[in-house]
Amino acid sequence: MTDDIRLIDLYRARHRLRGHVLHTPLVRSPSLSAHTGDEVHLKLECRQTTGSFKLRGATNALLSLDEAARARGVVAMSTGNHGRALAYAAHRLGVRAVICMSKLVPSNKVEAIRALGAEVHIVGKSQDEAEVEVARLIRDEGLTLLPPFDHADIIAGQGTVGLELLDDLPGLDTVLVPLSGGGLLAGVALALKRASPQIRVIGITMERGCAMHASLAAGKPVQVEELETLADSLGGGIGLDNRYTFRMAQTLVDEVVLVSEDEIAAAIGHAYTHEQVVVEGSGAVGIAALLAGRVTGTGTTAVLVSGSNIDMALHRRIVCAQEH
Ligand SMILES: *Cc1c(COP(=O)(O)O)cnc(C)c1O
C-alpha cells in the first residue's frame, strides 16, 4: 500500500479530538432491518455538533497546525458543512478563520457562518473570484488553506468515524458511506480495511453529477457538470490535481452505488417517519440505497447518516408529499 495516510494517523486524530467532538450514537434501525432482512444500524453523524461529521476533520486539522500557523489563522471557501464546522471549531479554539464566498451565496448561509464566529469575505460573482481572495489571504496574511476533503488531517479526522464503528459494532460486514470528494469514504475505508479487509465498504452518491464516480470510471480525476440535487452537500469536483482521496477510493473501496432524487426524497421521509431522524439529502443516500434495493445481502450493516443541515421548510414538504 502506498497510502500517505496511515492507520496510526487516525488513532492520533481520535486522541486529539477527545473532548472536542461527540462520539455519535450507533442505533439499530428496526425498519431497515425488517425491510432488508439484514441487521441494519444507523451511525448518527447528523447528531454531531454543527450537524455533520465535518467537525472531526476541521478540528483535527486545526489542532494539527503548528503554533505559528495557528496564530495566523485559516481560510476556506466552503459555505456548506465544512465552512460551518471550521467556523465553529476555530472560534472555540481561538483561531482566526476567514470563509471566502461569492455574492451569489444566499444571505442565510452567510449569516449562519458568521453566527458561528468566522469572518466572512464576500468577493465577486463567481467561485473563481473568491479563489483569488483566498490566494491573497494566504500570500499577504499567512493564512493556511484548509480544504474540505483532500487533506491528510481532514481525512484522518473523518476516519475516526470508522474507528468508532469498529468499537461499537462487532461483526460488521458492510458499511455504506455518503460520497462526494471522498474524505469521509477514504478515512472510514482506511480504518475498516486495515482492521478487517473483508468488510465491504460502499460509497453512495447521487446520480446527478458525482465527480468521484465519473473519475473512478475514467481512471483519473475528471470534471462533471454540477446539477441541482437534494444531496446538495455532495456536489462539486474532486480536483484535477487530487492528491489523496481519488487514489484511496481506487484502492480501498469495494464499489460506488448511485441513487436517484426520488430515492433520496423517500429516504428523508423514511428516516423521519420510521426512525425519528431529521437528515439532509446527502446524509440520506445510504438509507436510500437500502430502501431501493440498490445494495443487498449486506449482513450486519452500518449506514453512515452524515448530516442534518436541511432547510426545514423543504424537509416538511418532502415528508408531507410522502404521506399523501
Ligand atoms: C461533506 C459531506 C459529505 C461528503 O463528504 P466527502 O468527504 O466530501 O466525500 C456527505 N454528507 C454530508 C452531510 C457532508 O457534509
Side-chain angles (χ1 to χ4, degrees):
M1 276 324 241
T2 53
D3 299 332
D4 302 325
I5 305 166
R6 295 157 308 156
L7 193 54
I8 182 83
D9 299 315
L10 273 56
Y11 283 99
R12 289 200 178 112
R14 171 151 86 173
H15 185 73
R16 231 177 256 126
L17 290 177
R18 226 161 254 160
H20 293 284
V21 307
L22 298 176
H23 181 137
T24 50
L26 180 78
V27 298
R28 182 173 181 275
S29 166
S31 67
L32 291 170
S33 299
H35 181 84
T36 59
D38 286 303
E39 275 300 303
V40 180
H41 302 256
L42 304 177
K43 175 64 170 166
L44 297 179
E45 278 300 296
C46 50
R47 304 267 162 88
Q48 185 58 261
T49 308
T50 72
S52 85
F53 69 90
K54 291 252 181 15
L55 187 64
R56 296 173 185 263
T59 307
N60 187 49
L62 286 170
L63 291 172
S64 302
L65 290 173
D66 66 47
E67 224 165 284
R70 219 161 125 170
R72 290 191 302 268
V74 296
V75 58
M77 240 173 42
S78 159
T79 58
N81 287 333
H82 175 63
R84 291 176 62 90
L86 192 61
Y88 176 88
H91 186 68
R92 273 199 71 198
L93 296 170
V95 177
R96 180 183 180 207
V98 180
I99 310 292
C100 298
M101 51 186 85
S102 84
K103 283 179 191 146
L104 301 180
V105 174
S107 62
N108 60 327
K109 283 208 171 178
V110 178
E111 281 322 308
I113 301 267
R114 246 190 215 125
L116 288 163
E119 266 174 61
V120 176
H121 288 197
I122 299 174
V123 261
K125 289 205 183 69
S126 71
Q127 184 98 339
D128 290 353
E129 287 173 80
E131 260 170 50
V132 172
E133 172 67 358
V134 170
R136 188 194 68 77
L137 287 162
I138 295 168
R139 191 183 60 233
D140 296 350
E141 304 191 25
L143 299 192
T144 301
L145 177 66
L146 289 184
F149 54 87
D150 201 26
H151 183 289
D153 299 321
I154 301 280
I155 295 167
Q158 322 303 33
T160 60
V161 176
L163 299 181
E164 289 177 16
L165 288 176
L166 288 171
D167 284 348
D168 296 344
L169 192 55
L172 176 62
D173 293 309
T174 306
V175 56
L176 306 185
V177 186
L179 168 62
S180 174
L184 180 64
L185 182 63
V188 168
L190 182 64
L192 298 181
K193 289 291 187 185
R194 287 294 176 275
S196 197
Q198 73 276 12
I199 296 177
R200 260 171 96 192
V201 179
I202 304 178
I204 316 280
T205 188
M206 70 288 188
E207 284 173 350
R208 286 173 70 81
C210 176
M212 183 62 90
H213 181 255
S215 300
L216 289 169
K220 62 170 200 283
V222 295
Q223 267 167 329
V224 298
E225 189 194 345
E226 212 167 314
L227 302 167
E228 204 175 303
T229 167
L230 276 175
D232 55 344
S233 299
L234 303 185
I238 68 163
L240 294 178
D241 53 354
N242 187 291
R243 174 152 179 220
Y244 299 103
T245 60
F246 174 70
R247 193 160 42 79
M248 290 175 77
Q250 262 186 326
T251 54
L252 296 170
V253 172
D254 293 286
E255 56 185 305
V256 173
V257 168
L258 307 180
V259 293
S260 72
E261 294 301 302
D262 285 349
E263 289 162 357
I264 295 169
I268 293 171
H270 182 96
Y272 186 73
T273 308
H274 298 278
E275 302 289 343
Q276 294 83 39
V277 175
V278 171
V279 54
E280 62 177 282
S282 308
V285 293
I287 295 172
L290 287 180
L291 283 177
R294 290 190 182 263
V295 278
T296 54
T298 52
T300 299
T301 307
V303 182
L304 225 153
V305 181
S306 53
S308 65
N309 289 317
I310 183 170
D311 178 87
M312 285 310 288
L314 171 63
H315 188 273
R316 204 150 45 235
R317 284 200 298 280
I318 290 171
V319 171
C320 288
Q322 281 168 44
E323 281 168 355
H324 299 116

